[in-house]
Amino acid sequence: MKPIFAVGDVHGEITLLDELLENWDKERERLLFVGDLIDRGENPAAVLRRVKALADNSDAIVLKGNHEKMLLDWLESPSEKMHYYLSQGGMETIQSLIADSLDKKTTPEGLAERIKQESAELIEFIRNLPLYYEEGKYVFVHAGVDFTKDDWHETEERDFYWIREPFLFGENKTGKVFIFGHTPVQNLHKNGSSGIWVSSDKTRLDIDGGAVFGGELHGVVVEEKVIAKSFTVKK
């Protein structure tokens, strides 16, 4: 397999992403993003544009995270979903996707319509993102899979980008190694550190370093038989 440079949850941190990508070997490695490109951070729209350009101009793989799904859900039901989406960092995404300053009198429906029109290509890009990528013994996914299924491929769509404890601490009999984000590693390390988290059975690797919360943005290079190296940037 071609080595894969996998990037953890970016959450709009464009400066950190650009810094991390300086470690990417364009000639040798394929880029992969585990989702949650948007919400909360410095400039979510800039991250979306950068990642879409990478996907358009290289063989980069981009997975759908729960925050991409929340944006799509809000666009479909603006008034109903507005409060929840804003509570999850959605305002930073909305503001960055709209070309000029927001009119305080604009309704949720008006905001959603503007984004659908002004950022149509970005929204279509998000809408078509896959839920996981599998190659060799590795599976890349945003949140995880359902180990109670006879075949993990039959995981419910929502679980691919929302599942936590059953995946994090369940018994993995799939024969696969899962590389994922979604759950900030600070919640898994007993000391609250920002380093990459590895499950006790060595079959799960969490690369969500909680960068947007003052942690780290992680990148790992995955080769056929080994996690070859890792990179970390932080503010």
Side-chain angles (χ1 to χ4, degrees), residues 128-143:
N128 292 312
L129 296 179
L131 299 173
Y132 63 87
Y133 177 75
E134 180 180 10
E135 184 163 350
K137 71 174 184 178
Y138 298 104
V139 177
F140 301 85
V141 63
H142 179 63

Side-chain angles (χ1 to χ4, degrees), residues 67-145:
H67 281 262
E68 283 76 45
K69 183 63 167 64
M70 282 191 281
L71 172 59
L72 296 176
D73 288 347
W74 172 72
L75 289 171
E76 291 305 310
S77 304
S79 290
E80 179 186 348
K81 302 288 186 180
M82 189 75 173
H83 179 74
Y84 178 69
Y85 187 47
L86 295 189
S87 76
Q88 300 301 306
M91 182 54 75
E92 288 83 354
T93 299
I94 292 169
Q95 288 179 322
S96 66
L97 285 170
I98 288 177
D100 51 26
S101 59
L102 295 180
D103 182 347
K104 292 181 180 179
K105 296 180 181 179
T106 304
T107 64
E109 286 76 13
L111 289 174
E113 192 57 36
R114 282 195 62 183
I115 289 174
K116 287 178 184 178
Q117 292 180 5
E118 296 175 19
S119 302
E121 289 188 0
L122 292 178
I123 300 307
E124 189 65 15
F125 171 66
I126 291 172
R127 200 179 304 281
N128 292 312
L129 296 179
L131 299 173
Y132 63 87
Y133 177 75
E134 180 180 10
E135 184 163 350
K137 71 174 184 178
Y138 298 104
V139 177
F140 301 85
V141 63
H142 179 63
V145 302

